[in-house]
Amino acid sequence: MSVSLSPSLEFVLVTRLRAAGCVFAEDEARLIVSAARTSDELASMLDRRVAGVPLEHVLGWAEFCGLRIEVDPRVFVPRRRTAFLVEQAAALACPHAVVVDLCCGSGAVGAALADTLDGIELYAVDIDPAAVRCARRNLAEPARVFEGDLYAPLPPALRGRIDVLVANAPYVPTDAIRLMPPEARFHEPRVSLDGGADGLDIQRRVTAGARDWLAPGGHLLIETSASQAPLTADAFAAAGLTTRIETSEDVGATVVVGTNPA
């Protein structure tokens, strides 16, 4: 059973959402109504959204690369720009590749790669238990999801076997978190946002360990910002990776790509 969207109900919802600052109030109203099973649930969902809870947390899912990715409260919401990371990784992976998604969050990047590529051997890791629970629902078997710090929980047998290693590691400088939209600051875990003083702490750790895990000719791809990309590329080069920077003006995305020499 679901709630039907009458003109009068739509007017009430859109008015409240607009007053709360929701730019796409009409679209959000329709999505909330489609997700609500009862009038009480609709009222609760609307109240949460008006209070500033991210729409994806209100709905329980986010659209990413054409997929519905389940997103629990306090779990990082996949960004539209991260589809560029998926595109770049998919272009480098061959069928049945060994793929690892570090800092996987809800598992969105891994799920999109599994949907795009044939028969990949997929592993995902996150340090946040809530994210891991979410990723395990989004990543179908035989994909495996591990809880832990970067490479630590991965099976040792993967050393030297990974063809594509992707990481949407946190890269917001600590002092810049206060400037982020309230939806991120108040409703997403700090561990998924805070990249340290210059935003590159986790990226450097990922990069430093990459060559131990990558296959010869394997690739590391990390999402970053345009301003940080040269420093990320320097870290790649220092780790012995052949490096390039890819950008998309359409979605405002930047990805640093490194290749392990054969």
Side-chain angles (χ1 to χ4, degrees), residues 138-199:
N138 287 315
L139 296 174
E141 293 184 354
R144 297 175 65 188
V145 182
F146 299 94
E147 180 183 334
D149 186 20
L150 300 181
Y151 302 102
L154 287 173
L158 283 179
R159 285 183 178 271
R161 289 188 56 231
I162 299 172
D163 299 303
V164 175
L165 176 60
V166 295
N168 186 14
Y171 57 89
V172 180
T174 302
D175 288 345
I177 291 177
R178 60 186 175 82
L179 305 176
M180 295 184 73
E183 289 184 358
R185 283 187 288 122
F186 299 142
H187 298 283
E188 292 180 324
R190 191 178 181 95
V191 71
S192 71
L193 304 173
D194 193 342
D198 66 355

Side-chain angles (χ1 to χ4, degrees), residues 35-62:
R37 291 164 294 186
T38 66
S39 297
D40 287 345
E41 187 174 31
L42 173 63
S44 175
M45 293 172 71
L46 179 62
D47 287 344
R48 291 172 63 213
R49 181 62 183 131
V50 167
V53 176
L55 177 66
E56 294 82 1
H57 288 162
V58 172
L59 298 174
W61 58 269

Side-chain angles (χ1 to χ4, degrees), residues 12-33:
V12 171
L13 267 61
V14 169
T15 299
R16 287 197 62 192
L17 290 167
R18 279 181 180 160
C22 299
V23 177
F24 302 104
E26 292 83 357
D27 294 336
E28 292 197 13
R30 295 186 188 97
L31 286 168
I32 291 171
V33 169

Side-chain angles (χ1 to χ4, degrees), residues 102-103 150-151 167-172 194-196 198-210 220-226 228-236 239 241 254-256:
L102 289 183
C103 306
L150 300 181
Y151 302 102
N168 186 14
Y171 57 89
V172 180
D194 193 342
D198 66 355
L200 303 180
D201 284 1
I202 310 303
Q203 291 188 6
R204 290 191 184 97
R205 291 182 58 213
V206 171
T207 303
L220 169 65
L221 301 94
I222 294 183
E223 177 181 304
T224 191
S225 70
Q228 293 165 311
L231 294 176
T232 304
D234 287 345
F236 276 41
L241 301 175
T254 302
V255 172
V256 179

